Amino acid sequence: KDVIGKKLAGWPDEKWLNIAKYDKFADVMRKRFDLAVQKKCDGVDPDNVDGYQNKSGFNLTYKHQLNYNKWLSNEAHKRNLAISLKNDLDQIKDLVNYFDFAVNEECFTYNECNLLLPFTKQKKAVLGVEYKLDVKKFCKKANDLNFSFLKMNSDLDGSRISCN
């Protein structure tokens, strides 16, 4: 219980974890990666790997997050799983060598897609989604940047439009 923090804004069933003490829940994460292997997954996409920038209920630092994210990457790679870096834009320069691809939500909406360029410079995929913007506002830019983006509804009902 001492590593479970505040609820994620907008996601009442999700709570932040104290990644400064990830050793207390490392076995849970390892078992999740093992389950991905058992299910014959090619990779994993950990979400909410930017707790240091959020109101998590803990005094997390950039370094705590960096250490945890590198640990996640190493654990995935031990199992021959690819791993994505999702939305932790401010740490890309320190993490691009550890992650196999990036997943992003709404970098065009927030005008922050340039932060993802270290991935494409290393010939790594950048996959993403926009929820609010019309495809005419971002698809050409996404294609010019060699990003693979979709337009989807925020309720994730399965409808989508590909930029490709």
Side-chain angles (χ1 to χ4, degrees):
K1 290 183 178 181
D2 63 326
V3 296
I4 299 174
K6 292 183 177 183
K7 292 180 181 178
L8 273 74
W11 301 94
D13 295 332
E14 294 186 37
K15 294 182 181 177
W16 291 103
L17 295 173
N18 185 354
I19 54 148
K21 298 180 179 181
Y22 70 83
D23 58 306
K24 292 193 174 194
F25 58 87
D27 284 341
V28 172
M29 297 306 296
R30 286 186 190 105
K31 286 177 184 175
R32 288 183 179 202
F33 286 172
D34 291 341
L35 181 60
V37 170
Q38 289 170 14
K39 290 185 173 195
K40 301 190 184 317
C41 295
D42 294 320
V44 291
D45 178 37
D47 202 355
N48 307 316
V49 293
D50 57 355
Y52 77 106
Q53 293 182 315
N54 290 278
K55 295 177 183 176
S56 66
F58 307 106
N59 292 318
L60 300 176
T61 66
Y62 186 98
K63 185 150 178 79
H64 290 134
Q65 193 70 61
L66 197 63
N67 290 339
Y68 179 64
N69 291 354
K70 287 179 181 179
W71 178 82
L72 284 173
S73 173
N74 289 332
E75 289 297 320
H77 289 146
K78 283 179 189 176
R79 292 160 177 80
N80 293 316
L81 292 167
I83 185 168
S84 73
L85 182 64
K86 187 172 185 180
N87 293 336
D88 186 11
L89 298 175
D90 290 342
Q91 292 191 327
I92 286 176
K93 66 183 184 302
D94 292 321
L95 292 172
V96 67
N97 293 326
Y98 292 87
F99 287 80
D100 303 300
F101 61 103
V103 173
N104 180 267
E105 294 172 301
E106 302 186 287
C107 74
F108 291 100
T109 295
Y110 297 110
N111 195 30
E112 55 195 17
C113 294
N114 61 317
L115 297 171
L116 292 156
L117 293 175
F119 277 94
T120 56
K121 285 180 181 169
Q122 289 193 18
K123 304 211 182 306
K124 295 179 179 184
V126 173
L127 312 174
V129 64
E130 290 289 335
Y131 300 115
K132 298 175 187 129
L133 289 181
D134 184 273
V135 292
K136 293 175 186 168
K137 299 273 186 185
F138 71 91
C139 276
K140 182 176 180 339
K141 293 176 193 173
N143 292 336
D144 289 347
L145 293 169
N146 290 319
F147 292 179
S148 182
F149 260 68
L150 300 172
K151 161 77 174 176
M152 296 180 75
N153 296 326
S154 58
D155 61 6
L156 303 176
D157 64 2
S159 64
R160 64 180 184 260
I161 300 170
S162 174
C163 290
N164 297 337

